[in-house]
Amino acid sequence: MPTLGAIADDFTGATDLATMLVARGFRTVVAVGADAVASPAEPDAPDRWADADAVVVALKSRTAPVAQAVQESRRALRALRAIGCRRFYFKYCSTFDSTPRGNIGPVTDALLAETGERRTVVVPSFPATGRTVYRGRLFVHDDLLDESPMRHHPLTPMLDSRVDRLLRPQTDHPVTRVGLDTVRAGADRLRAELDDEAHADALVVVDAVDDEDLRTVAAATEDFGLVTGAAGLAAGLTGPHPDQARARAASRPGDPGVVLAGSASAATRAQVAHALVRLPHRRLDLTLLRGDFGAAVAGLTAFVRDQWAHDPARPPLIYAVATPEDVETDTPAGAEPPSVLVERALAACARELVDAGARRLLVAGGETSGAVVTALRARTLAVGAPIAPGVAWARTEVRPSGAAHTVDLALKSGNFGGTDIFTQAWEQLV
Ligand SMILES: Nc1ncnc2c1ncn2[C@@H]1O[C@H](COP(=O)(O)OP(=O)(O)O)[C@@H](O)[C@H]1O
Ligand SMILES: O=C(O)[C@@H](O)C(=O)COP(=O)(O)O
């Protein structure tokens, strides 16, 4: 029976957290949306989770309208509670991706109300991927968040690095801070601080610079009904099954594969540049897609199928952005926003390519991953071999157009992974 229930605001975030939980000894399943956990049509749902210690619900709520993000997160929490979860973890991005209206604050407020808790911690730190919080400022490697490439994110440009200042306009709770000195004084000292009246109803931004700090934060909050943060905080949790096996790969070397990159992030652009001289590739042409969407997608998938026939060992790359100039910020009159068009196009490619035989898919970008996984109609994902910090293969059954296929899927956060991940990830599929 699962006791830990997590709600992730995007799909890469869900597999990121699940990968960490698996490594920490939790038998973990990613459920795609609240209905994959428990729907009224499945009264026996709790039994299906008997072998899981943790369930992570993947939502596509990071950039959804506030009311929708709140409603979906609440539903997810209720579904998790219905299958036995008693502790909850709200997973958002390690670069605190959000806008002044939300959704991190409103969702946290709603989950606090739902759990009956008064306060929680806010811990975006994830040192394994270079995200640290010191004196309340979020760093991305050597840069403050607002001086990092996240400044230019197409959907959630991050223009401040003070976590409390980012959060305050988003929440009805007071936002307070606890510094590194208190964390380094140990779990008992930190617990005493968090119990202080000053933080009684607060969202408490806690400094953490390395994994030991995160272990201290996790120890000090073990009786909290709700914690919030990036996947780093899970480094401090310990599950009951340290020697569990990860899911085995569904596909074999040589099975058709494809890389679908909708992310415009700096790391993904470097990965695209690396792959452009090593893999067959096509860039999405937004003008063609706006003209005749079906024909444009058919052209892309025909290209991929030709490449499979020619050299099955080299998974083709379909990508949206190679340079920052490729990002379209304006929406032509009467047309859908470019970001939506790109997500829809990559989702359509994924659907057609799985029908055509793709059994290994590497998807870059959180929103993009949400669109692809939803289009493939996956319900659950089982974490498999790790690829890089925060990125792993997952085995999943998909039904893009009725028939079920088991595929290997890697959902890569825009900013995660080494430069060669599009060519090297396949080697971990064993
Ligand atoms: N050429 C483009 N113009 C505008 N938006 C784009 C373009 N290419 C991709 N996008 C959008 O940028 C967003 C990238 O977000 P996401 O997939 O979450 O990547 P990341 O993980 O880097 O944040 C997606 O909504 C995607 O559709
Ligand atoms: O915490 C993180 O950085 C990731 O798990 C994450 O949320 C990634 O989001 P995207 O960059 O939008 O993929």
Side-chain angles (χ1 to χ4, degrees), residues 265-283:
S265 294
T268 304
R269 283 189 271 110
Q271 291 154 357
V272 167
H274 182 268
L276 288 183
V277 290
R278 291 169 177 83
L279 298 178
H281 53 85
R282 279 280 188 280
R283 184 158 82 83

Side-chain angles (χ1 to χ4, degrees), residues 87-363:
R87 284 202 77 204
F88 300 94
Y89 190 134
F90 173 34
K91 157 72 179 72
Y92 41 75
C93 192
S94 61
T95 45
F96 215 70
D97 297 14
S98 55
T99 67
R101 294 212 52 218
N103 290 334
I104 295 175
V107 170
T108 303
D109 291 1
L111 297 180
L112 277 174
E114 196 68 36
T115 52
E117 296 283 315
R118 290 179 63 195
R119 48 106 162 87
T120 189
V121 285
V122 176
V123 190
S125 175
F126 190 3
T129 58
R131 279 65 156 155
T132 54
V133 177
Y134 181 59
R135 293 188 183 271
R137 272 91 172 157
L138 181 47
F139 287 82
V140 180
H141 301 285
D142 289 339
D143 295 324
L144 285 162
L145 176 63
D146 59 326
E147 293 170 8
S148 80
M150 285 307 295
R151 215 188 142 65
H152 304 293
H153 192 281
L155 302 175
T156 50
M158 300 308 293
L159 304 177
D160 196 354
S161 58
R162 284 263 308 255
V163 180
D164 59 339
R165 227 159 34 199
L166 288 165
L167 191 53
R168 219 160 263 133
Q170 303 184 22
T171 174
D172 294 334
H173 285 258
V175 181
T176 58
R177 293 208 291 117
V178 172
L180 194 64
D181 291 353
T182 309
V183 175
R184 297 255 161 119
D188 289 342
R189 174 71 191 87
L190 177 58
R191 195 176 296 116
E193 175 66 30
L194 293 171
D195 284 342
D196 189 278
E197 198 49 33
H199 306 295
D201 294 307
L203 310 189
V204 191
V205 179
V206 185
D207 280 0
V209 169
D210 61 25
D211 280 352
E212 193 51 41
D213 300 329
L214 290 168
R215 281 191 276 276
T216 303
V217 180
T221 55
E222 62 191 1
D223 62 342
F224 278 41
L226 173 72
V227 292
T228 83
L233 183 56
L237 304 180
T238 304
H241 292 94
D243 299 322
Q244 67 183 295
R246 291 170 187 273
R248 300 235 337 265
S251 62
R252 284 178 307 221
D255 279 351
V258 66
V259 184
L260 301 171
S263 159
S265 294
T268 304
R269 283 189 271 110
Q271 291 154 357
V272 167
H274 182 268
L276 288 183
V277 290
R278 291 169 177 83
L279 298 178
H281 53 85
R282 279 280 188 280
R283 184 158 82 83
L284 295 183
D285 183 327
L286 302 199
T287 310
L288 280 184
L289 285 162
R290 282 193 190 102
D292 185 341
F293 183 84
V297 168
L300 292 164
T301 56
F303 165 75
V304 171
R305 283 187 277 108
D306 280 353
Q307 298 303 318
W308 287 341
H310 179 65
D311 183 356
R314 288 200 311 154
L317 163 70
I318 301 181
Y319 67 101
V321 172
T323 68
E325 294 71 44
D326 292 337
V327 176
E328 285 188 21
T329 45
D330 297 328
T331 303
E336 66 192 327
S339 59
V340 176
L341 181 64
V342 167
E343 290 179 30
R344 207 157 64 79
L346 291 174
C349 287
R351 221 168 25 230
E352 291 193 12
L353 288 169
V354 168
D355 277 338
R359 294 296 175 263
R360 343 177 105 188
L361 294 92
L362 199 169
V363 186

Side-chain angles (χ1 to χ4, degrees), residues 321-416:
V321 172
T323 68
E325 294 71 44
D326 292 337
V327 176
E328 285 188 21
T329 45
D330 297 328
T331 303
E336 66 192 327
S339 59
V340 176
L341 181 64
V342 167
E343 290 179 30
R344 207 157 64 79
L346 291 174
C349 287
R351 221 168 25 230
E352 291 193 12
L353 288 169
V354 168
D355 277 338
R359 294 296 175 263
R360 343 177 105 188
L361 294 92
L362 199 169
V363 186
E367 299 294 325
T368 309
S369 294
V372 166
V373 174
T374 305
L376 292 179
R377 300 205 289 154
R379 283 178 68 81
T380 59
L381 282 72
V383 173
I387 302 171
V391 193
W393 286 106
R395 182 187 173 110
T396 182
E397 190 176 272
V398 296
R399 296 169 185 275
S401 51
H405 308 286
T406 307
V407 302
D408 294 306
L409 197 59
L411 307 181
K412 187 201 81 71
S413 153
N415 275 310
F416 286 178

